[in-house]
């Protein structure tokens, strides 16, 4: 029988969003509210620790930046799909988050006078990327955790793999999770849940994301049947993934003045984004790179067969590279044996960020009264069809704070624990230990995972067509059938990572279907969703958010309008 645990508030994920929410609850309740923090990896190993380039925020309005400018950049970046009321709430909160981290001790990069520095970033019309060299996410994570441990009232569930939510009617009752060490199933009850489980970047074969970013929380929310996933067809390709691994070369490289060149040595963005050049938004640069490669002006990497362009930092000089981009230099030297001070870096578009996610309102609340969502897993409609760099870490901090406050208010207003739905716990135990673990078919789950990631990379890439996506959907359906015939090699309970990989695979297959269904139905090109068969943006029919529900095991499509409060859509040029 599952081991029962109880907390006031359960936080699912310990990246920037989860830790920021935990700090908010701890400090506002002076450590009195009991928090559970669940992570399938060791707490500090959340993908947030990999964020490099920076966090957006208007720090110097007296020098020319403003909330209106940050808001407008984000609206335009989103190709007008983002909700403008949400954007305003966001931009007003970002500076406070940056200063809070400052008070909590983060080593922000500073100029000689001690002033916090900000650098330019793609799609932002003012330098507002606040950074800790090129290790921003890591420093933010450290600072938040150091702050959290001032209070004692939290329990870490490290290496505990969440498998689903327990619902009492339309309310959250608890979560089922496997303890990697003991192999036991836990039923962790709480009065409120904050989902902060990150994105789904590992669904691509060529990706900047850690292998663990498999969208588990997205699928768990979807499976309740009460919460839809929103705008999942919009996946960001980052223009500078290192060949052949996909490791991110931060946009900070271009923020510091780096160039992109084709095989002829030309800065090809002159043709595509003459004003913004290398600092145009990511969707536009990624398409430009693919076009250069397809038209024969790319370079082929012999070992991997991948076409690429060059990221050129050689004119920046050793001092700047060592001070502002030390990690980039270290990675290039360690992985490719090249030094960016003297060599160009081979890069191409790489699967990166999920603009969509668990539908949540402006406060981060979902349609279930005691479930909130924050960070990359959530879709508050902040990024619309394309996110601007540095707006994500900022989003994690902002909605980590908001959802922490909200969940705390809910609990302090006398919310009670919901009874544990015993039959659901039992059903989950059977599903995991009797069904999945005992499957002994002829399909290798690792082969299925490889095929799925390759298919998504091909069928849900930078450019799409109806035909490509239909083929992709057929492939995903085939993989779903084959999944029923998998076999697990590890029959044991102790650290059964084989089982975790199978659970992740199941989630990835489900998400792939959601992405493709949404993408096929959106017969237009907007932001990161670029179709060769519908090349124009269609505001008349598609200025709306896609919602995908799961009802009776079937996906259902639905839509809701985008909120336009300030700017009507116009042509998007850079
Ligand atoms: C290489 C890289 C560089 C980036 N650079 C920047 C940048 O400079 N600026 C910027 O704004 N954005 C950047 N981004 C994007 C940004 O870092 C992420 O969107 C953000 O950090 C996500 O944070 P999160 O808290 O939502 O989730 P994550 O940090 O991904 O954390 C997810 C948490 O959920 C837990 N979890 C997931 N599934 C389960 C499960 N089944 N059971 C238990 N726990 C689970 C994980 O263990 C983890 O603790 C970058 C992304 C990458 C990959």
């Amino acid at each position: 029988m599952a081991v029962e645990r109880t907390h006031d508030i359960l936080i699912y994920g310990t990246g920037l969003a989860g830790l920021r929410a935990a700090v908010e609850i701890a400090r506002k309740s002076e450590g009195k509210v009991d928090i559970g923090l669940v992570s399938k990896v060791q707490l500090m190993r959340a993908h947030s620790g990999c964020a490099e380039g920076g966090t957006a925020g208007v720090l110097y309005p007296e020098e020319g930046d403003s909330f209106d400018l940050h808001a407008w950049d984000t609206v335009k970046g989103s190709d007008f799909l983002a909700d403008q009321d949400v954007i305003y709430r966001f931009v007003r909160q970002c500076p406070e988050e940056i200063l809070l981290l400052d008070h909590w001790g983060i080593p922000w990069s500073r100029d000689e006078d001690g002033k916090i520095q900000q650098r330019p970033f793609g799609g932002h019309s003012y330098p507002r990327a606040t950074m800790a060299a090129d290790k921003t996410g890591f420093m933010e994570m450290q600072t938040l955790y150091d702050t959290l441990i001032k209070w004692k009232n939290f329990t870490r569930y490290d290496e505990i793999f969440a498998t689903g939510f327990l619902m009492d009617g339309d309310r959250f009752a608890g979560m089922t999770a496997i303890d990697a060490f003991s192999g036991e199933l836990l039923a962790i009850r709480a009065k409120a849940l904050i989902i902060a489980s990150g994105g789904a970047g590992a669904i691509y074969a060529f990706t900047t994301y850690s292998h663990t970013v498999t969208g588990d929380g997205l699928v768990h929310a979807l499976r309740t049947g009460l919460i839809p996933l929103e705008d999942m067809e919009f996946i960001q390709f980052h223009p500078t993934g290192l060949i052949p691994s996909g490791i991110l070369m931060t946009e900070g490289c271009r923020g510091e003045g780096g160039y992109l060149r084709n095989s002829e040595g030309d800065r090809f963005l002159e043709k595509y984004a003459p004003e913004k050049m290398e600092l145009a938004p990511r969707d536009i640069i990624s398409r430009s790179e693919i076009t250069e490669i397809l038209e024969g002006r790319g370079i082929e990497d012999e070992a991997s067969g991948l076409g690429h362009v060059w990221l050129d930092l050689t004119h920046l000089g050793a001092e700047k590279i060592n001070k502002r981009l030390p990690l980039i230099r270290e990675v290039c030297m360690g992985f490719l044996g090249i030094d960016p001070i003297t060599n160009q870096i081979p890069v191409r578009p790489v699967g990166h960020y999920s603009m969509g996610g668990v539908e949540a309102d402006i406060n981060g609340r979902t349609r279930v009264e005691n479930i909130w969502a924050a960070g990359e897993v959530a879709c508050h409609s902040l990024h619309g069809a394309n996110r601007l760099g540095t707006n994500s870490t900022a989003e994690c901090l902002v909605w980590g704070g908001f959802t922490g406050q909200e969940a705390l208010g809910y609990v302090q207003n006398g919310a009670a624990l919901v009874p544990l739905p015993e039959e659901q716990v039992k059903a989950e135990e059977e599903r995991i230990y009797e069904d999945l673990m005992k499957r002994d078919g002829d399909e290798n789950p690792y082969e299925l995972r490889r095929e799925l990631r390759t298919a998504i990379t091909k069928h849900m890439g930078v450019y799409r067509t109806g035909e490509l996506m239909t083929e992709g959907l057929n492939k995903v359906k085939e993989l779903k059938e084959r999944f029923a015939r998998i076999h697990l090699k590890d029959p044991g309970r102790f650290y059964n990572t084989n089982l975790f990989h199978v659970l992740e695979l199941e989630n990835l297959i489900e998400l792939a279907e959601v992405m493709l269904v949404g993408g096929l139905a959106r017969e237009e090109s907007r932001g990161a969703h670029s179709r060769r068969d519908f090349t124009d943006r269609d505001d008349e029919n598609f200025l709306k958010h896609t919602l995908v529900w799961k009802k009776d095991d079937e996906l259902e499509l639905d839509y809701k309008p985008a909120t336009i409060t300030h700017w009507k859509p116009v042509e998007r040029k850079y």
Side-chain angles (χ1 to χ4, degrees):
M1 189 55 202
V3 181
E4 198 177 313
R5 298 283 175 80
T6 302
H7 298 283
D8 290 319
I9 301 175
L10 192 60
I11 302 181
Y12 175 7
T14 61
L16 283 175
L19 287 186
R20 179 66 188 85
V23 168
E24 193 64 11
I25 295 162
R27 73 184 187 125
K28 291 280 167 65
S29 72
E30 296 179 340
K32 294 206 178 69
V33 164
D34 170 25
I35 307 167
L37 273 173
V38 180
S39 172
K40 67 179 171 182
V41 289
Q42 191 269 349
L43 177 139
M44 285 296 291
R45 290 195 183 274
H47 184 76
S48 290
C50 303
E52 299 171 3
T55 296
V58 175
L59 291 189
Y60 304 117
E62 67 286 359
E63 292 175 13
D65 200 5
S66 71
F67 292 145
D68 286 333
L69 260 186
H70 189 186
W72 164 245
D73 291 342
T74 306
V75 169
K76 189 176 171 192
S78 81
D79 218 345
F80 297 90
L81 186 65
D83 287 355
Q84 298 180 8
D85 52 343
V86 171
I87 289 183
Y88 262 100
R89 182 145 194 233
F90 166 73
V91 299
R92 290 199 174 101
Q93 185 62 24
C94 292
E96 193 173 324
E97 293 297 328
I98 291 169
L99 295 180
L100 270 174
L101 283 173
D102 193 45
H103 295 314
W104 294 334
I106 196 171
W108 289 129
S109 296
R110 292 172 186 274
D111 67 14
E112 280 118 39
D113 300 328
K115 196 173 141 195
I116 297 174
Q117 277 178 337
Q118 294 189 298
R119 65 176 153 213
F121 238 72
H124 291 277
S125 54
Y126 197 86
R128 62 171 80 92
T130 320
M131 73 234 156
D134 55 1
K135 299 173 186 169
T136 307
F138 179 72
M139 296 301 177
E140 291 177 340
M141 289 281 293
Q142 287 281 357
T143 306
L144 287 173
Y145 189 63
D146 279 357
T147 306
L148 181 65
I149 55 178
K150 285 188 202 145
W151 293 279
K152 303 283 171 248
N153 218 1
F154 68 92
T155 305
R156 282 174 62 166
Y157 290 94
D158 285 19
E159 301 190 322
I160 305 280
F161 192 104
T163 67
F165 300 157
L166 301 163
M167 302 297 294
D168 178 49
D170 56 5
R171 272 190 307 165
F172 171 79
M175 162 193 276
T176 47
I178 303 167
D179 179 340
F181 189 77
S182 67
E184 282 171 329
L185 192 72
L186 309 182
I188 313 175
R189 301 170 65 193
K191 297 170 187 168
L193 170 74
I194 299 174
I195 312 176
S197 54
I203 201 164
Y204 283 84
F206 188 63
T207 174
T208 57
Y209 272 71
S210 317
H211 290 290
T212 52
V213 185
T214 50
D216 306 340
L218 292 158
V219 174
H220 297 155
L222 181 72
R223 282 190 197 143
T224 64
L226 301 168
I227 306 174
L229 298 185
E230 182 178 341
D231 290 342
M232 288 298 295
E233 63 273 30
F234 296 107
I235 300 288
Q236 176 159 82
F237 288 84
H238 195 293
T240 53
L242 187 67
I243 300 288
S245 59
I247 296 175
L248 183 72
M249 298 285 100
T250 171
E251 195 167 284
C253 294
R254 285 168 284 132
E256 296 294 349
Y259 298 149
L260 288 170
R261 298 186 190 278
N262 60 20
S263 59
E264 290 156 21
D266 295 334
R267 286 177 67 193
F268 53 87
L269 283 157
E270 270 166 7
K271 280 182 285 180
Y272 306 95
E275 273 180 39
K276 284 273 183 188
M277 295 293 289
E278 281 85 357
L279 290 178
R282 294 175 177 175
D283 56 334
I284 292 177
I285 300 191
S286 291
R287 285 196 286 276
S288 313
E289 290 181 1
I290 295 289
T291 306
E292 289 296 299
I293 293 168
L294 289 177
E295 291 181 0
R297 292 181 298 278
I299 304 98
E300 196 184 296
D301 174 60
E302 275 180 27
S304 64
L306 289 169
H308 68 83
V309 295
W310 297 114
L311 172 63
D312 183 4
L313 308 182
T314 54
H315 55 288
L316 299 184
E319 196 188 329
K320 197 171 202 179
I321 292 177
N322 284 329
K323 200 161 174 198
R324 299 290 194 86
L325 302 165
L327 181 71
I328 292 301
R329 183 166 181 228
E330 194 184 317
V331 168
C332 286
M333 292 171 75
F335 283 79
L336 291 189
I338 59 167
D339 185 346
I341 294 175
T342 46
N343 297 98
Q344 301 188 103
I345 308 168
V347 293
R348 68 174 275 130
V350 57
H352 190 57
Y353 180 87
S354 306
M355 264 72 77
V358 171
E359 186 214 35
D361 69 12
I362 194 165
N363 298 316
R365 200 178 204 156
T366 68
R367 297 190 192 212
V368 172
E369 71 165 46
N370 56 349
I371 299 184
W372 284 262
E376 189 169 341
V377 72
C379 182
H380 316 286
S381 311
L382 172 69
H383 310 299
N386 174 61
R387 170 177 76 91
L388 295 189
T390 68
N391 269 356
S392 170
T393 46
E395 175 194 23
C396 290
L397 298 169
V398 166
W399 270 277
F402 288 161
T403 55
Q405 271 173 39
E406 285 252 329
L408 176 63
Y410 179 79
V411 165
Q412 286 179 330
N413 279 336
L417 274 177
V418 174
L420 188 69
E422 305 267 355
E423 70 300 340
Q424 287 175 36
V425 180
K426 221 165 148 237
E428 187 64 350
E429 267 180 331
E430 273 174 25
R431 180 177 85 93
I432 292 165
Y433 301 113
E434 298 305 319
D435 174 13
L436 279 179
M437 272 185 76
K438 294 199 174 148
R439 278 195 201 176
D440 192 22
D442 53 359
E443 292 287 355
N444 175 351
Y446 294 94
E447 172 58 22
L448 295 195
R449 186 162 167 153
R450 196 187 60 73
E451 285 183 34
L452 176 76
R453 297 174 77 206
T454 309
I456 281 290
T457 304
K458 177 171 171 205
H459 298 282
M460 223 34 198
V462 172
Y463 283 110
R464 303 156 180 192
T465 62
E467 200 184 328
L468 260 178
M469 286 184 283
T470 307
E471 278 169 26
L473 200 55
N474 291 338
K475 178 72 188 175
V476 169
K477 286 185 179 152
E478 173 208 310
L479 292 170
K480 213 169 164 182
E481 279 168 27
R482 287 166 61 194
F483 182 82
R485 301 194 307 274
I486 52 161
H487 64 265
L488 260 77
K489 278 203 173 145
D490 184 352
R493 291 267 174 125
F494 178 72
Y495 270 98
N496 192 337
T497 47
N498 192 194
L499 172 63
F500 298 157
H501 294 152
V502 163
L503 288 162
E504 288 175 348
L505 172 65
E506 195 179 25
N507 294 339
L508 288 171
I509 293 176
E510 214 156 319
L511 275 183
E513 195 176 348
V514 173
M515 286 160 60
L516 285 156
V517 164
L520 262 171
R522 187 173 282 277
E523 296 187 331
E524 65 159 353
S525 286
R526 183 186 297 274
H529 181 63
S530 189
R531 290 187 62 155
R532 298 248 191 225
D533 46 356
F534 293 93
T535 50
D536 294 332
R537 194 178 74 199
D538 177 359
D539 290 330
E540 205 169 303
N541 295 305
F542 287 104
L543 188 56
K544 59 186 182 184
H545 301 289
T546 307
L547 300 177
V548 177
W549 295 88
K550 185 155 200 178
K551 304 259 171 162
D552 300 327
D553 227 28
E554 292 292 323
L555 297 184
E556 275 178 24
L557 259 179
D558 192 5
Y559 292 93
K560 67 174 185 184
T563 308
I564 311 278
T565 53
H566 288 68
W567 293 286
K568 293 235 151 50
V570 290
E571 193 191 347
R572 182 166 170 255
K573 271 206 246 156
Y574 287 92

